[in-house]
Amino acid sequence: MASVNLDNLKALSDKHPKPDAIFGYGTAGFRMKAELLDSVIFRTGIVAALRSKKLDGKVIGVMITASHNPAADNGVKLVDPLGEMLEASWESYATLLANAQSNELLFEAIQSMVSTLKIDLTKPANIVFGRDTRPSGESLVAALCDGLKVLDANGTDYGILTTPQLHYITRCLNTAGTPEAYGEPTEEGYYKKLAAAFKTLVEGKNKLRPLTLDCANGVGAPKFKEFVAHLGDSLDVNIINDDTDDASKLNLNAGADYVKTQQRAPVGLKLASGERYASFDGDADRIVYYYQDDDGTFKLLDGDKIAGLAAMYIIDLVTAAGISNISVGVVQTAYANGASTQYLRNTLDVPVSCVPTGVKHLHHEATKYDVGVYFEANGHGTVLFSPSALKTIHSTEGSTPAQATAVRSLRALSEVINQTVGDAFSDLLLVETILTQRQWTASVWDQAYTDLPNRLVKVVVKDRSIFKTVDAERKLVEPAGLQEAIDAIVLKFRDGRSFVRPSGTEDVVRVYAEAASRPETDELAFRIGGLVFDYNSNGSGARPREFI
């Protein structure tokens, strides 16, 4: 039985000493200040190699990015063989290795994993990796490569990529030569697949006015410019915030996270009525749309709005194709606007599931439907087609010209959507397909329903661990009595809804509130915030003045 070479491990590990910090692998992988990451990424390389060996040499992806975080941050996350996120049970192993205090303890942790998981170290290990445009990425790739050397893993560097491109490539490599083959495992293959499907979907339709696209000065800018060459004249796009030479501009006052949280356009962008706009985040796995109405008011079309648009369109296509045995469902989190949930359930008559926050929960739940639409309000999401749904779509011909056209559109739609993970490029094409086919403006899209005003408040607490939730994080069971007090306040507000959940990364709890009007929403949020702060003296520091 092969074993880890301790001398080799020590020699490589000594190049990447662990700082005095505690690390945790979560939904976003490891993410922090870049200067703290060297040892973490070295050890993540070891985890990736072990994961590949455990899966008989299947390709594992490693993406070095910090998404919508500032340029000084970076991070790393692992991608499983079908392009999905790392299996949850392995997150604790990644955390264990990252926190080993010495080379000897690191060696012991690796040996423990090998024994517990019954990993055959004689199996090959195959890893693909990429990074975004952050300056720290290059040195962190070197640390990753040293980690791969510990177990003689084969590593392929795909250079600078968007996060969804690496997920796509990982799936393509693992499905090549099978009936589930996903495509050509290259950037070029990714561009060609999405572009060909989009051209099929908008063929014969009048082009819309140009889209203004904010790329957050991130990796989405150079990559979407490459993509535009494949799209040809099927889509008109004006790209802004595309400066990747000045790292300080990354995600600064721009990008999907800024637009969503600030409820305003990127700094420097003057909106014009009648036009439509979209913003990527720093690694291009999120997208939000927005526009300015005739009164000059900023209007956001976030992940909830995209989910509603996608569900409406897919249901209509399935019906038009004469297919009766495909169910469409939508997955949301508690942060989804209540008006969107009512629209989906009452207007579209589509089942809606609510799951805890985190892409892994949404993705898993979406697999339970024939066609599962999932989006977080922040603009991260995609559509999953089950194997049986794809078989039905590809075996149906349609008995009328209209049905045949709808079937052809469904097939192309399943190709234009990156089913591995939320993908801003793919989701942009999904939205543009629907708006083009319907000849809708952003304003017409927005009329499906009106969002309830909402507010998110952060409450600093002494110990977030005392807050325990159930019902997809919508109800508190601890501290005892707090949920009943919240319910009593909510009852006093028209269309009131509020929930409290602990942060996964810092000692704060987040209070979400929505109500019929902006003043009522603000009052509800600040009353609940004050209640949480005061309850059993949970609050830490000075009580915020706005709390009631």
Side-chain angles (χ1 to χ4, degrees):
M1 187 73 170
S3 61
V4 179
N5 184 313
L6 178 58
D7 290 336
N8 183 45
L9 172 65
K10 285 181 175 179
L12 291 165
S13 183
D14 283 343
K15 295 166 60 178
H16 309 282
K18 180 186 178 299
D20 184 18
I22 297 174
F23 308 110
Y25 192 105
T27 298
F30 294 112
R31 190 178 295 179
M32 64 204 73
K33 293 296 181 187
E35 63 262 25
L36 295 173
L37 266 172
D38 186 68
S39 70
V40 172
I41 291 190
F42 165 72
R43 296 169 184 208
T44 298
I46 299 173
V47 176
L50 289 169
R51 181 71 176 154
S52 179
K53 287 175 181 288
K54 172 63 178 175
L55 299 177
D56 294 326
K58 283 193 166 61
V59 178
I60 298 297
V62 182
M63 185 67 199
I64 297 175
T65 179
S67 189
H68 56 278
N69 283 34
D73 293 351
N74 216 324
V76 62
K77 52 187 171 183
L78 295 171
V79 180
D80 259 359
L82 291 182
E84 71 273 50
M85 301 178 74
L86 176 68
E87 183 183 302
S89 65
W90 275 65
E91 293 178 3
S92 60
Y93 294 116
T95 299
L96 177 69
L97 263 61
N99 289 298
Q101 292 296 326
S102 66
N103 289 338
E104 289 73 22
L105 290 173
L106 176 59
F107 179 76
E108 288 178 16
I110 295 170
Q111 294 289 73
S112 174
M113 281 184 67
V114 171
S115 173
T116 302
L117 297 168
K118 296 180 172 56
I119 298 173
D120 182 352
L121 292 179
T122 65
K123 297 280 188 180
N126 297 293
I127 313 298
V128 294
F129 52 93
R131 61 184 175 92
D132 66 14
T133 54
R134 294 165 197 270
S136 57
E138 197 167 343
S139 64
L140 293 175
V141 163
L144 174 69
C145 290
D146 278 348
L148 299 181
K149 290 174 185 174
V150 171
L151 293 169
D152 294 320
N154 303 308
T156 304
D157 185 356
Y158 276 80
I160 292 175
L161 294 173
T162 70
T163 295
Q165 285 178 328
L166 185 80
H167 284 255
Y168 166 88
I169 288 167
T170 303
R171 181 165 178 160
C172 289
L173 289 167
N174 284 301
T175 57
T178 74
E180 292 76 37
Y182 200 61
E184 180 188 327
T186 62
E187 280 186 84
E188 189 81 1
Y190 168 89
Y191 294 141
K192 286 179 178 177
K193 178 180 179 180
L194 268 62
F198 179 70
K199 289 175 181 178
T200 297
L201 286 161
V202 299
E203 184 180 6
K205 301 292 183 181
N206 293 327
K207 278 202 301 185
L208 302 178
R209 293 183 59 79
L211 169 72
T212 298
L213 176 63
D214 155 37
C215 290
N217 299 305
V219 66
K223 296 305 173 183
F224 203 83
K225 288 177 182 176
E226 293 173 5
F227 188 30
V228 165
H230 293 269
L231 290 169
D233 64 356
S234 62
L235 180 68
D236 287 338
V237 184
N238 297 323
I239 296 174
I240 63 169
N241 292 325
D242 59 348
D243 185 355
T244 55
D245 294 325
D246 183 351
S248 68
K249 292 183 179 179
L250 176 63
N251 293 315
L252 181 64
N253 298 327
D257 192 60
Y258 175 85
V259 172
K260 169 66 176 170
T261 58
Q262 300 299 313
Q263 299 279 307
R264 55 166 293 174
V267 171
L269 174 60
K270 184 173 175 55
L271 302 185
S273 298
E275 305 296 342
R276 74 191 185 289
Y277 305 83
S279 287
F280 292 164
D281 70 336
D283 66 339
D285 67 355
R286 296 185 190 180
I287 184 172
V288 295
Y289 273 73
Y290 44 99
Y291 69 101
Q292 177 178 280
D293 70 11
D294 293 337
D295 296 327
T297 303
F298 173 86
K299 296 285 189 176
L300 178 69
L301 296 157
D302 61 7
D304 293 341
K305 288 282 186 177
I306 296 172
L309 183 74
M312 174 274 298
Y313 178 66
I314 294 168
I315 289 168
D316 285 355
L317 271 187
V318 169
T319 302
I323 300 172
S324 59
N325 61 340
I326 288 182
S327 65
V328 180
V330 178
V331 186
Q332 297 182 321
T333 71
Y335 287 111
N337 195 278
S340 73
T341 308
Q342 291 175 23
Y343 167 73
L344 291 165
R345 285 181 173 152
N346 300 336
T347 303
L348 296 185
D349 193 26
V350 65
V352 180
S353 303
C354 186
V355 298
T357 304
V359 175
K360 60 187 176 185
H361 301 298
L362 290 128
H363 194 96
H364 175 73
E365 184 69 19
T367 62
K368 297 178 182 179
Y369 296 103
D370 294 327
V371 181
V373 179
Y374 76 81
F375 275 86
E376 293 183 286
N378 62 25
H380 186 283
T382 189
V383 180
L384 303 184
F385 291 80
S386 72
S388 63
L390 288 173
K391 185 176 180 180
T392 298
I393 290 168
H394 285 281
S395 62
T396 300
E397 296 300 330
S399 56
T400 67
Q403 286 184 350
T405 298
V407 169
R408 192 161 56 248
S409 291
L410 275 172
R411 290 173 184 167
L413 193 70
S414 71
E415 294 284 305
V416 88
I417 291 168
N418 184 351
Q419 295 184 57
T420 65
V421 72
D423 181 343
F425 288 22
S426 168
D427 293 338
L428 181 149
L429 296 185
L430 169 64
V431 171
E432 293 299 313
T433 288
I434 301 168
L435 298 183
T436 301
Q437 288 216 359
R438 299 295 170 102
Q439 292 292 293
W440 281 1
T441 62
S443 177
V444 173
W445 167 18
D446 197 22
Q447 289 170 18
Y449 65 88
T450 301
D451 275 328
L452 289 167
N454 60 88
R455 180 175 286 279
L456 191 61
V457 172
K458 184 187 294 188
V459 184
V460 181
V461 294
K462 295 168 186 171
D463 180 8
R464 72 179 187 273
S465 69
I466 67 171
F467 294 85
K468 309 292 186 185
T469 64
V470 294
D471 189 22
E473 302 177 313
R474 291 177 290 188
K475 295 288 183 184
L476 281 172
V477 289
E478 293 181 21
L482 182 53
Q483 184 61 52
E484 289 75 11
I486 292 170
D487 292 342
I489 293 174
V490 170
L491 283 173
K492 299 174 182 176
F493 292 82
R494 291 181 301 141
D495 296 329
R497 182 170 76 95
S498 182
F499 65 89
V500 174
R501 62 178 288 271
S503 165
T505 56
E506 52 185 331
D507 270 328
V508 302
V509 295
R510 306 188 193 282
V511 174
Y512 177 88
E514 62 187 29
S517 68
R518 170 55 59 193
E520 288 172 290
T521 298
D522 291 344
E523 182 183 348
L524 175 57
F526 295 141
R527 283 194 181 280
I528 302 296
L531 171 67
V532 172
F533 189 92
D534 297 338
Y535 202 82
N536 292 341
S537 301
N538 282 320
S540 178
R543 190 182 195 272
R545 286 181 297 175
E546 65 270 20
F547 284 2
I548 300 172

